[in-house]
Amino acid sequence: MAIIEISNLKKSYGNLDVLKQITFNVNKNEVVAVIGPSGSGKSTMLRSLVNLEQIDNGNICVSGNYLVKDGAYVKPQEIKQITSKMGMVFQHFNLFPHLTVRENLELAPKTVKKEDSKEIHRRSSELLEKIGLTAWADSFPAKLSGGQKQRVAIARALMMNPEIMLFDEPTSALDPELTGEVLQVMKDLAQENMTMIVVTHEMGFAREVADRVVFMDNGEIVESGTPAELFTNPKFERTKAFLNRSLK
């Protein structure tokens, strides 16, 4: 069953078409990896799902509710309700430097959802243990490595109990030796059947963890399929050329 339905998505900056008739669905509990060269529209497409980018035309439907229909957005209150179903993790961690790790996790549930503080504390403790950072709960972000910061950013998004997690190049700002610890947290989420869309240059992750891989180039979806199909038998020359460069 499709939890995200995207059709005919178009987005331009002046004369530059960033998204050209993008259409694809994501099923509940599915992990979709989106790959492709820089500047192919991957991040713009992902950001449009949480209304960080506004599209010019097309449809975005999440859990049966339209965020945009034929280019027209629903009311602000509805936008807020729909986008709250999704947690997003960015390339740069965007942690609040003046708050401790635990405070970063607990801020949104307290201020946005007005949840019970004991319940918030229980959940933050649970997530800190899950990401292996219990000992760092009272530390400030400046004391953490890049990999630790990104793990905190993932836990912060999970604090809002999202139905869907979106990852925009979550490891591209990290040193190679720190990448593995972040990917492991994402692999664990996939094993727990979290619905995920992951924009990534990590081909190993896409091959191992994704149920489906979508290849984008020049604002278009060129092809999509299972990792086995796409990596071992790509149909299009553009895909083959990209994979030849990326898998060296």
Side-chain angles (χ1 to χ4, degrees):
M1 179 191 150
I3 193 168
I4 294 177
E5 299 168 87
I6 300 166
S7 58
N8 303 318
L9 228 57
K10 292 178 76 175
K11 169 78 177 176
S12 302
Y13 295 114
N15 294 326
L16 178 65
D17 294 331
V18 184
L19 299 176
K20 306 170 186 173
Q21 305 285 6
I22 295 288
T23 296
F24 77 103
N25 292 348
V26 178
N27 294 321
K28 190 172 172 58
N29 308 133
E30 189 177 27
V31 178
V32 176
V34 183
I35 64 172
S38 297
S40 57
K42 306 183 303 294
S43 293
T44 302
M45 181 275 294
L46 199 70
R47 290 166 64 87
S48 71
L49 297 179
V50 284
N51 202 40
L52 291 174
E53 294 276 0
Q54 292 222 324
I55 60 160
D56 300 325
N57 209 346
N59 306 292
I60 298 173
C61 186
V62 180
S63 296
N65 299 301
Y66 277 99
L67 176 69
V68 197
K69 190 168 186 182
D70 298 328
Y73 281 80
V74 295
K75 293 174 183 170
Q77 190 57 39
E78 291 175 77
I79 289 174
K80 198 173 171 184
Q81 286 173 345
I82 292 165
T83 55
S84 71
K85 297 176 189 294
M86 294 173 276
M88 183 142 182
V89 177
F90 301 88
Q91 181 177 339
H92 299 289
F93 327 113
N94 300 336
L95 299 178
F96 293 108
H98 63 291
L99 300 180
T100 65
V101 165
R102 187 185 290 278
E103 287 166 345
N104 265 282
L105 263 61
E106 296 184 354
L107 181 65
K110 276 178 184 168
T111 56
V112 178
K113 286 194 164 182
K114 308 284 194 286
E115 289 183 24
D116 175 68
S117 57
K118 279 185 181 173
E119 168 58 20
I120 293 171
H121 192 81
R122 183 196 66 76
R123 209 158 70 248
S124 68
S125 296
E126 203 173 82
L127 280 169
L128 284 168
E129 187 173 344
K130 183 188 182 88
I131 62 170
L133 289 176
T134 300
W136 299 86
D138 298 319
S139 300
F140 290 93
K143 299 284 186 189
L144 306 183
S145 71
Q148 289 171 323
K149 288 176 188 172
Q150 193 61 293
R151 282 187 278 157
V152 173
I154 293 171
R156 181 177 60 179
L158 291 171
M159 281 293 291
M160 298 297 278
N161 290 323
E163 294 175 25
I164 301 153
M165 284 288 285
L166 310 177
F167 294 88
D168 188 11
E169 300 281 11
T171 60
S172 62
L174 302 178
D175 294 331
E177 65 269 21
L178 301 176
T179 295
E181 64 191 57
V182 175
L183 293 179
Q184 187 56 55
V185 173
M186 294 166 65
K187 286 175 188 175
D188 292 344
L189 283 176
Q191 287 171 350
E192 292 164 14
N193 292 322
M194 173 63 79
T195 306
M196 295 160 63
I197 306 178
V198 184
V199 170
T200 185
H201 284 299
E202 297 289 339
M203 297 299 139
F205 175 86
R207 180 176 273 179
E208 182 189 342
V209 181
D211 299 298
R212 188 153 44 99
V213 181
V214 173
F215 172 62
M216 285 182 68
D217 187 24
N218 195 28
E220 301 172 305
I221 291 179
V222 178
E223 67 178 295
S224 71
T226 65
E229 289 167 347
L230 202 106
F231 285 110
T232 58
N233 192 27
K235 296 184 182 72
F236 295 90
E237 285 304 321
R238 276 197 280 175
T239 317
K240 288 175 187 172
F242 173 76
L243 291 175
N244 284 338
R245 290 195 305 273
S246 302
L247 296 173
K248 280 180 181 173

